[in-house]
Amino acid sequence: MSSRMDSFVSHGKGAMKQFQARLDGLVGVFATLAKQHGEVSALLARCRRDTNRRSELWPEIRRELISHERAEMRVLYPELRQHDATRTLADHHDQEASQLESVIGRLDAEPIESEMWGQVFDRLVESVLLHAVEEEKQIFPAAQHQLGDARARELEAPFLAAKKQIMAAV
């Protein structure tokens, strides 16, 4: 489990990302997803900087990444798949989520103190950060435009419930 300071920094970065998302016009589930991107990016940065805390931080990062992606795939992306304008975005996301889970599996198979683990983790960090930017700048605005603000707000509670359920299972 991360420390209080890690939690404070993570939540702070999440709040900043959520605020920026709202400034960019995102609401509901999309603002919440941006917030979660900020939270996990802060944890990833801490784990990257402080290699002595890998074994403490990795389980939380792992749970956050898996539950976030699986909840998106359960709640949000099936919605997007129903519309011609966002179907390819959903398919692209599913490919990236599959690759993410594969990298997580690779990390789980490596000794956490090994150099290889650090190299794979660095690739994971870069991939997650690029994925978040892509979602926040391209996918979420297009999806919100397609679904509308009201539906974006309606999807927030089911997404959070799915994430909580998945997090308890991983």
Side-chain angles (χ1 to χ4, degrees):
M1 172 85 39
S2 62
S3 72
R4 281 182 162 217
M5 182 55 83
D6 294 328
S7 181
F8 179 75
V9 170
S10 175
H11 286 98
K13 184 147 187 196
M16 288 180 359
K17 289 284 271 187
Q18 186 174 40
F19 180 74
Q20 182 60 54
R22 287 184 176 150
L23 285 177
D24 292 341
L26 298 176
V27 299
V29 71
F30 301 112
T32 295
L33 290 167
K35 176 184 176 198
Q36 291 178 4
H37 290 165
E39 291 171 349
V40 80
S41 70
L43 291 172
L44 289 165
R46 180 59 185 237
C47 189
R48 200 179 213 182
R49 247 188 342 270
D50 191 350
T51 59
N52 294 324
R53 299 207 36 231
R54 284 178 181 171
S55 60
E56 175 188 350
L57 293 169
W58 173 241
E60 182 176 357
I61 292 168
R62 182 183 186 283
R63 277 190 309 276
E64 287 294 334
L65 290 172
I66 290 172
S67 63
H68 175 92
E69 290 302 319
R70 289 181 184 174
E72 280 183 328
M73 291 175 67
R74 183 183 295 176
V75 175
L76 177 61
Y77 284 95
E79 245 339 277
L80 300 183
R81 198 165 272 106
Q82 295 177 24
H83 305 278
D84 290 338
T86 53
R87 187 172 296 121
T88 57
L89 298 174
D91 292 341
H92 175 70
H93 175 270
D94 288 356
Q95 289 175 335
E96 286 188 352
S98 176
Q99 291 170 351
L100 174 75
E101 292 229 16
S102 176
V103 173
I104 289 171
R106 188 160 174 216
L107 284 166
D108 288 343
E110 291 288 332
I112 203 161
E113 66 281 347
S114 73
E115 185 177 322
M116 180 58 72
W117 194 95
Q119 292 170 0
V120 174
F121 183 76
D122 285 344
R123 287 195 296 273
L124 172 80
V125 171
E126 295 306 316
S127 174
V128 167
L129 296 177
L130 287 172
H131 175 77
V133 168
E134 180 181 46
E135 279 190 324
E136 293 167 23
K137 299 301 179 195
Q138 296 172 7
I139 295 174
F140 295 169
Q144 185 170 305
H145 177 76
Q146 181 65 43
L147 300 177
D149 292 358
R151 187 65 181 140
R153 287 183 181 97
E154 289 170 3
L155 288 171
E156 185 174 19
F159 168 79
L160 289 171
K163 184 177 186 299
K164 183 178 179 180
Q165 179 188 38
I166 294 164
M167 186 171 262
V170 294

